[in-house]
Amino acid sequence: MTGNTFTTQTWDEHVVNGPDDGPRYAHVHATFAYTGILEGTSSCDYLIYYATEGYDDGNSQLAPGLERIEGSVDGHKGSFVARHDVRYGPDGITDNWTVVPGSGTGELAGLSGHGTAAGNSTTIAYTFDYDLS
């Protein structure tokens, strides 16, 4: 589906542990604005792993996260939590995410689904396959 994007609004990153030139991890608190099948805003927390400088085999840079999205899904209003499995590198990010079971509120109670995201800028395209049964 075209026209589905989210845009980074804020990105607050702090190294938790590890040297600048070696393996380390950081906590990120970010906010995003969604357009398309998802309309609304979100608050997201990632735990980012940075491998040794210069080392990137395409699988080593990881950022699991949880995100609470408030707004609407295809016109149904409420909120839900998504669990992310992000991989990133010089070419941008790839993300596979799923709706956390039982996290839907309002007209999104009972929401289930999964999606993907990929891109290399502050505005990223996403997909979302969902069910409101």
Side-chain angles (χ1 to χ4, degrees), residues 18-29:
D20 288 343
D21 62 348
R24 64 192 179 282
Y25 68 98
H27 171 258
V28 171
H29 179 75

Side-chain angles (χ1 to χ4, degrees), residues 38-124:
L38 293 170
E39 291 283 343
T41 59
S42 74
S43 176
C44 185
D45 288 282
Y46 294 112
L47 187 60
I48 296 182
Y49 172 70
Y50 292 101
T52 303
E53 282 298 313
Y55 178 76
D56 180 16
D57 64 5
N59 294 308
S60 61
Q61 312 293 49
L62 308 172
L66 291 172
E67 175 181 27
R68 184 168 186 266
I69 300 170
E70 297 181 72
S72 64
V73 174
D74 206 17
H76 301 275
K77 294 182 181 181
S79 68
F80 67 94
V81 174
R83 183 194 176 283
H84 293 273
D85 182 15
V86 179
R87 296 191 181 279
Y88 62 95
D91 296 331
I93 66 115
T94 59
D95 181 15
N96 290 298
W97 55 278
T98 57
V99 174
V100 174
S103 67
T105 67
E107 295 174 353
L108 299 179
L111 177 71
S112 63
H114 57 87
T116 62
N120 61 358
S121 69
T122 58
T123 298
I124 303 288

